[in-house]
PDB file of all heavy atoms in Angstrom:
ATOM      1  N   HIS A  69       0.849  -1.189   0.000  1.00 97.00           N
ATOM      2  CA  HIS A  69       0.000   0.000   0.000  1.00 97.00           C
ATOM      3  C   HIS A  69       0.887   1.243   0.000  1.00 97.00           C
ATOM      4  O   HIS A  69       1.804   1.356   0.818  1.00 97.00           O
ATOM      5  CB  HIS A  69      -0.906   0.001   1.236  1.00 97.00           C
ATOM      6  CG  HIS A  69      -2.028   0.967   1.161  1.00 97.00           C
ATOM      7  ND1 HIS A  69      -3.264   0.658   0.641  1.00 97.00           N
ATOM      8  CD2 HIS A  69      -2.111   2.282   1.526  1.00 97.00           C
ATOM      9  CE1 HIS A  69      -4.067   1.706   0.707  1.00 97.00           C
ATOM     10  NE2 HIS A  69      -3.379   2.703   1.242  1.00 97.00           N
ATOM     11  N   LEU A  70       0.610   2.166  -0.916  1.00 96.00           N
ATOM     12  CA  LEU A  70       1.354   3.418  -1.018  1.00 96.00           C
ATOM     13  C   LEU A  70       0.586   4.530  -0.316  1.00 96.00           C
ATOM     14  O   LEU A  70      -0.636   4.631  -0.446  1.00 96.00           O
ATOM     15  CB  LEU A  70       1.579   3.780  -2.483  1.00 96.00           C
ATOM     16  CG  LEU A  70       2.444   2.799  -3.280  1.00 96.00           C
ATOM     17  CD1 LEU A  70       2.363   3.112  -4.768  1.00 96.00           C
ATOM     18  CD2 LEU A  70       3.883   2.850  -2.803  1.00 96.00           C
ATOM     19  N   ILE A  71       1.308   5.364   0.410  1.00 96.00           N
ATOM     20  CA  ILE A  71       0.708   6.470   1.140  1.00 96.00           C
ATOM     21  C   ILE A  71       1.430   7.751   0.737  1.00 96.00           C
ATOM     22  O   ILE A  71       2.647   7.890   0.934  1.00 96.00           O
ATOM     23  CB  ILE A  71       0.827   6.266   2.657  1.00 96.00           C
ATOM     24  CG1 ILE A  71       0.148   4.963   3.066  1.00 96.00           C
ATOM     25  CG2 ILE A  71       0.222   7.448   3.416  1.00 96.00           C
ATOM     26  CD1 ILE A  71       0.642   4.413   4.372  1.00 96.00           C
ATOM     27  N   ALA A  72       0.694   8.673   0.162  1.00 96.00           N
ATOM     28  CA  ALA A  72       1.250   9.967  -0.210  1.00 96.00           C
ATOM     29  C   ALA A  72       0.745  11.017   0.770  1.00 96.00           C
ATOM     30  O   ALA A  72      -0.455  11.240   0.886  1.00 96.00           O
ATOM     31  CB  ALA A  72       0.841  10.334  -1.628  1.00 96.00           C
ATOM     32  N   THR A  73       1.664  11.648   1.498  1.00 94.00           N
ATOM     33  CA  THR A  73       1.304  12.774   2.345  1.00 94.00           C
ATOM     34  C   THR A  73       1.576  14.051   1.559  1.00 94.00           C
ATOM     35  O   THR A  73       1.930  14.007   0.378  1.00 94.00           O
ATOM     36  CB  THR A  73       2.124  12.755   3.647  1.00 94.00           C
ATOM     37  OG1 THR A  73       3.483  13.127   3.361  1.00 94.00           O
ATOM     38  CG2 THR A  73       2.102  11.376   4.285  1.00 94.00           C
ATOM     39  N   LYS A  74       1.419  15.180   2.193  1.00 91.00           N
ATOM     40  CA  LYS A  74       1.662  16.438   1.494  1.00 91.00           C
ATOM     41  C   LYS A  74       3.105  16.535   1.000  1.00 91.00           C
ATOM     42  O   LYS A  74       3.373  17.049  -0.088  1.00 91.00           O
ATOM     43  CB  LYS A  74       1.350  17.614   2.422  1.00 91.00           C
ATOM     44  CG  LYS A  74       1.499  18.981   1.755  1.00 91.00           C
ATOM     45  CD  LYS A  74       1.117  20.087   2.713  1.00 91.00           C
ATOM     46  CE  LYS A  74       1.263  21.454   2.055  1.00 91.00           C
ATOM     47  NZ  LYS A  74       0.917  22.554   3.001  1.00 91.00           N
ATOM     48  N   LYS A  75       4.036  15.975   1.801  1.00 94.00           N
ATOM     49  CA  LYS A  75       5.454  16.136   1.473  1.00 94.00           C
ATOM     50  C   LYS A  75       6.151  14.847   1.035  1.00 94.00           C
ATOM     51  O   LYS A  75       7.136  14.906   0.300  1.00 94.00           O
ATOM     52  CB  LYS A  75       6.198  16.705   2.684  1.00 94.00           C
ATOM     53  CG  LYS A  75       5.748  18.095   3.114  1.00 94.00           C
ATOM     54  CD  LYS A  75       6.542  18.534   4.336  1.00 94.00           C
ATOM     55  CE  LYS A  75       6.108  19.910   4.823  1.00 94.00           C
ATOM     56  NZ  LYS A  75       6.860  20.320   6.045  1.00 94.00           N
ATOM     57  N   TYR A  76       5.650  13.693   1.496  1.00 96.00           N
ATOM     58  CA  TYR A  76       6.426  12.470   1.332  1.00 96.00           C
ATOM     59  C   TYR A  76       5.573  11.317   0.827  1.00 96.00           C
ATOM     60  O   TYR A  76       4.342  11.357   0.906  1.00 96.00           O
ATOM     61  CB  TYR A  76       7.074  12.070   2.668  1.00 96.00           C
ATOM     62  CG  TYR A  76       7.794  13.210   3.343  1.00 96.00           C
ATOM     63  CD1 TYR A  76       7.322  13.730   4.559  1.00 96.00           C
ATOM     64  CD2 TYR A  76       8.923  13.787   2.771  1.00 96.00           C
ATOM     65  CE1 TYR A  76       7.970  14.780   5.179  1.00 96.00           C
ATOM     66  CE2 TYR A  76       9.580  14.840   3.389  1.00 96.00           C
ATOM     67  CZ  TYR A  76       9.098  15.343   4.589  1.00 96.00           C
ATOM     68  OH  TYR A  76       9.733  16.391   5.188  1.00 96.00           O
ATOM     69  N   VAL A  77       6.249  10.285   0.333  1.00 97.00           N
ATOM     70  CA  VAL A  77       5.578   9.060  -0.106  1.00 97.00           C
ATOM     71  C   VAL A  77       6.223   7.871   0.609  1.00 97.00           C
ATOM     72  O   VAL A  77       7.452   7.761   0.670  1.00 97.00           O
ATOM     73  CB  VAL A  77       5.681   8.866  -1.630  1.00 97.00           C
ATOM     74  CG1 VAL A  77       4.987   7.563  -2.048  1.00 97.00           C
ATOM     75  CG2 VAL A  77       5.059  10.047  -2.367  1.00 97.00           C
ATOM     76  N   TYR A  78       5.372   6.992   1.134  1.00 98.00           N
ATOM     77  CA  TYR A  78       5.815   5.797   1.838  1.00 98.00           C
ATOM     78  C   TYR A  78       5.145   4.579   1.217  1.00 98.00           C
ATOM     79  O   TYR A  78       4.105   4.675   0.570  1.00 98.00           O
ATOM     80  CB  TYR A  78       5.436   5.852   3.323  1.00 98.00           C
ATOM     81  CG  TYR A  78       5.961   7.047   4.069  1.00 98.00           C
ATOM     82  CD1 TYR A  78       5.242   8.240   4.114  1.00 98.00           C
ATOM     83  CD2 TYR A  78       7.173   6.976   4.757  1.00 98.00           C
ATOM     84  CE1 TYR A  78       5.716   9.338   4.820  1.00 98.00           C
ATOM     85  CE2 TYR A  78       7.652   8.068   5.475  1.00 98.00           C
ATOM     86  CZ  TYR A  78       6.923   9.244   5.493  1.00 98.00           C
ATOM     87  OH  TYR A  78       7.391  10.332   6.193  1.00 98.00           O
ATOM     88  N   LYS A  79       5.747   3.417   1.466  1.00 98.00           N
ATOM     89  CA  LYS A  79       5.166   2.160   0.990  1.00 98.00           C
ATOM     90  C   LYS A  79       5.137   1.157   2.131  1.00 98.00           C
ATOM     91  O   LYS A  79       6.159   0.893   2.760  1.00 98.00           O
ATOM     92  CB  LYS A  79       5.984   1.595  -0.169  1.00 98.00           C
ATOM     93  CG  LYS A  79       5.411   0.314  -0.780  1.00 98.00           C
ATOM     94  CD  LYS A  79       6.305  -0.182  -1.914  1.00 98.00           C
ATOM     95  CE  LYS A  79       5.752  -1.435  -2.565  1.00 98.00           C
ATOM     96  NZ  LYS A  79       6.662  -1.934  -3.636  1.00 98.00           N
ATOM     97  N   VAL A  80       3.949   0.621   2.408  1.00 98.00           N
ATOM     98  CA  VAL A  80       3.809  -0.438   3.398  1.00 98.00           C
ATOM     99  C   VAL A  80       3.850  -1.770   2.659  1.00 98.00           C
ATOM    100  O   VAL A  80       2.996  -2.049   1.811  1.00 98.00           O
ATOM    101  CB  VAL A  80       2.490  -0.313   4.183  1.00 98.00           C
ATOM    102  CG1 VAL A  80       2.418  -1.390   5.259  1.00 98.00           C
ATOM    103  CG2 VAL A  80       2.348   1.064   4.806  1.00 98.00           C
ATOM    104  N   GLU A  81       4.861  -2.583   2.974  1.00 98.00           N
ATOM    105  CA  GLU A  81       5.010  -3.878   2.328  1.00 98.00           C
ATOM    106  C   GLU A  81       4.022  -4.878   2.931  1.00 98.00           C
ATOM    107  O   GLU A  81       3.401  -4.626   3.963  1.00 98.00           O
ATOM    108  CB  GLU A  81       6.446  -4.386   2.487  1.00 98.00           C
ATOM    109  CG  GLU A  81       7.519  -3.427   1.981  1.00 98.00           C
ATOM    110  CD  GLU A  81       7.519  -3.249   0.472  1.00 98.00           C
ATOM    111  OE1 GLU A  81       6.811  -4.006  -0.230  1.00 98.00           O
ATOM    112  OE2 GLU A  81       8.239  -2.354  -0.019  1.00 98.00           O
ATOM    113  N   VAL A  82       3.894  -6.040   2.296  1.00 97.00           N
ATOM    114  CA  VAL A  82       2.887  -7.009   2.718  1.00 97.00           C
ATOM    115  C   VAL A  82       3.188  -7.599   4.099  1.00 97.00           C
ATOM    116  O   VAL A  82       2.300  -8.171   4.734  1.00 97.00           O
ATOM    117  CB  VAL A  82       2.725  -8.139   1.683  1.00 97.00           C
ATOM    118  CG1 VAL A  82       2.140  -7.602   0.385  1.00 97.00           C
ATOM    119  CG2 VAL A  82       4.048  -8.850   1.434  1.00 97.00           C
ATOM    120  N   ASP A  83       4.431  -7.456   4.585  1.00 98.00           N
ATOM    121  CA  ASP A  83       4.745  -7.926   5.944  1.00 98.00           C
ATOM    122  C   ASP A  83       4.625  -6.808   6.979  1.00 98.00           C
ATOM    123  O   ASP A  83       4.933  -7.020   8.150  1.00 98.00           O
ATOM    124  CB  ASP A  83       6.144  -8.543   5.990  1.00 98.00           C
ATOM    125  CG  ASP A  83       7.250  -7.522   5.750  1.00 98.00           C
ATOM    126  OD1 ASP A  83       6.950  -6.366   5.377  1.00 98.00           O
ATOM    127  OD2 ASP A  83       8.439  -7.884   5.938  1.00 98.00           O
ATOM    128  N   GLY A  84       4.170  -5.629   6.546  1.00 98.00           N
ATOM    129  CA  GLY A  84       3.986  -4.508   7.450  1.00 98.00           C
ATOM    130  C   GLY A  84       5.163  -3.559   7.521  1.00 98.00           C
ATOM    131  O   GLY A  84       5.052  -2.474   8.109  1.00 98.00           O
ATOM    132  N   THR A  85       6.296  -3.925   6.935  1.00 98.00           N
ATOM    133  CA  THR A  85       7.450  -3.033   6.915  1.00 98.00           C
ATOM    134  C   THR A  85       7.128  -1.783   6.110  1.00 98.00           C
ATOM    135  O   THR A  85       6.503  -1.860   5.055  1.00 98.00           O
ATOM    136  CB  THR A  85       8.665  -3.745   6.287  1.00 98.00           C
ATOM    137  OG1 THR A  85       8.962  -4.920   7.033  1.00 98.00           O
ATOM    138  CG2 THR A  85       9.890  -2.834   6.278  1.00 98.00           C
ATOM    139  N   ILE A  86       7.552  -0.619   6.614  1.00 98.00           N
ATOM    140  CA  ILE A  86       7.296   0.648   5.932  1.00 98.00           C
ATOM    141  C   ILE A  86       8.600   1.186   5.360  1.00 98.00           C
ATOM    142  O   ILE A  86       9.607   1.305   6.072  1.00 98.00           O
ATOM    143  CB  ILE A  86       6.698   1.692   6.882  1.00 98.00           C
ATOM    144  CG1 ILE A  86       5.457   1.149   7.579  1.00 98.00           C
ATOM    145  CG2 ILE A  86       6.354   2.972   6.121  1.00 98.00           C
ATOM    146  CD1 ILE A  86       4.937   2.039   8.686  1.00 98.00           C
ATOM    147  N   ASN A  87       8.591   1.528   4.082  1.00 98.00           N
ATOM    148  CA  ASN A  87       9.748   2.125   3.429  1.00 98.00           C
ATOM    149  C   ASN A  87       9.427   3.541   2.976  1.00 98.00           C
ATOM    150  O   ASN A  87       8.332   3.802   2.448  1.00 98.00           O
ATOM    151  CB  ASN A  87      10.180   1.289   2.224  1.00 98.00           C
ATOM    152  CG  ASN A  87      10.752  -0.050   2.623  1.00 98.00           C
ATOM    153  OD1 ASN A  87      11.580  -0.132   3.530  1.00 98.00           O
ATOM    154  ND2 ASN A  87      10.317  -1.119   1.967  1.00 98.00           N
ATOM    155  N   TYR A  88      10.358   4.435   3.213  1.00 98.00           N
ATOM    156  CA  TYR A  88      10.229   5.805   2.718  1.00 98.00           C
ATOM    157  C   TYR A  88      10.722   5.840   1.272  1.00 98.00           C
ATOM    158  O   TYR A  88      11.845   5.425   0.975  1.00 98.00           O
ATOM    159  CB  TYR A  88      11.060   6.752   3.586  1.00 98.00           C
ATOM    160  CG  TYR A  88      11.213   8.141   3.009  1.00 98.00           C
ATOM    161  CD1 TYR A  88      10.101   8.951   2.780  1.00 98.00           C
ATOM    162  CD2 TYR A  88      12.481   8.650   2.696  1.00 98.00           C
ATOM    163  CE1 TYR A  88      10.238  10.221   2.247  1.00 98.00           C
ATOM    164  CE2 TYR A  88      12.622   9.918   2.169  1.00 98.00           C
ATOM    165  CZ  TYR A  88      11.504  10.703   1.944  1.00 98.00           C
ATOM    166  OH  TYR A  88      11.654  11.962   1.408  1.00 98.00           O
ATOM    167  N   LEU A  89       9.876   6.323   0.352  1.00 97.00           N
ATOM    168  CA  LEU A  89      10.219   6.315  -1.069  1.00 97.00           C
ATOM    169  C   LEU A  89      10.812   7.627  -1.560  1.00 97.00           C
ATOM    170  O   LEU A  89      11.561   7.640  -2.535  1.00 97.00           O
ATOM    171  CB  LEU A  89       8.983   5.967  -1.909  1.00 97.00           C
ATOM    172  CG  LEU A  89       8.334   4.611  -1.631  1.00 97.00           C
ATOM    173  CD1 LEU A  89       7.217   4.353  -2.630  1.00 97.00           C
ATOM    174  CD2 LEU A  89       9.362   3.485  -1.679  1.00 97.00           C
ATOM    175  N   GLY A  90      10.465   8.736  -0.917  1.00 96.00           N
ATOM    176  CA  GLY A  90      11.005  10.024  -1.350  1.00 96.00           C
ATOM    177  C   GLY A  90      10.000  11.143  -1.208  1.00 96.00           C
ATOM    178  O   GLY A  90       8.905  10.984  -0.643  1.00 96.00           O
ATOM    179  N   GLU A  91      10.384  12.302  -1.697  1.00 95.00           N
ATOM    180  CA  GLU A  91       9.522  13.483  -1.604  1.00 95.00           C
ATOM    181  C   GLU A  91       8.373  13.391  -2.592  1.00 95.00           C
ATOM    182  O   GLU A  91       8.545  12.974  -3.742  1.00 95.00           O
ATOM    183  CB  GLU A  91      10.340  14.745  -1.857  1.00 95.00           C
ATOM    184  CG  GLU A  91      11.419  14.989  -0.810  1.00 95.00           C
ATOM    185  CD  GLU A  91      12.227  16.247  -1.096  1.00 95.00           C
ATOM    186  OE1 GLU A  91      11.930  16.920  -2.100  1.00 95.00           O
ATOM    187  OE2 GLU A  91      13.131  16.550  -0.300  1.00 95.00           O
ATOM    188  N   ALA A  92       7.201  13.785  -2.151  1.00 93.00           N
ATOM    189  CA  ALA A  92       5.997  13.695  -2.989  1.00 93.00           C
ATOM    190  C   ALA A  92       6.125  14.527  -4.249  1.00 93.00           C
ATOM    191  O   ALA A  92       5.678  14.123  -5.326  1.00 93.00           O
ATOM    192  CB  ALA A  92       4.778  14.125  -2.187  1.00 93.00           C
TER     193      ALA A  92
END
């Protein structure tokens, strides 16, 4: 699942690990 905030984008992997992808 990808989450875009006002400033940043994150990805929640299927095991629950969260990775920061970069600036939105």
Side-chain angles (χ1 to χ4, degrees):
H69 195 90
L70 296 169
I71 301 158
T73 72
K74 183 178 180 181
K75 297 179 181 178
Y76 311 113
V77 179
Y78 303 88
K79 183 181 181 182
V80 183
E81 305 292 350
V82 293
D83 67 351
T85 301
I86 306 171
N87 291 314
Y88 169 61
L89 300 186
E91 296 179 1

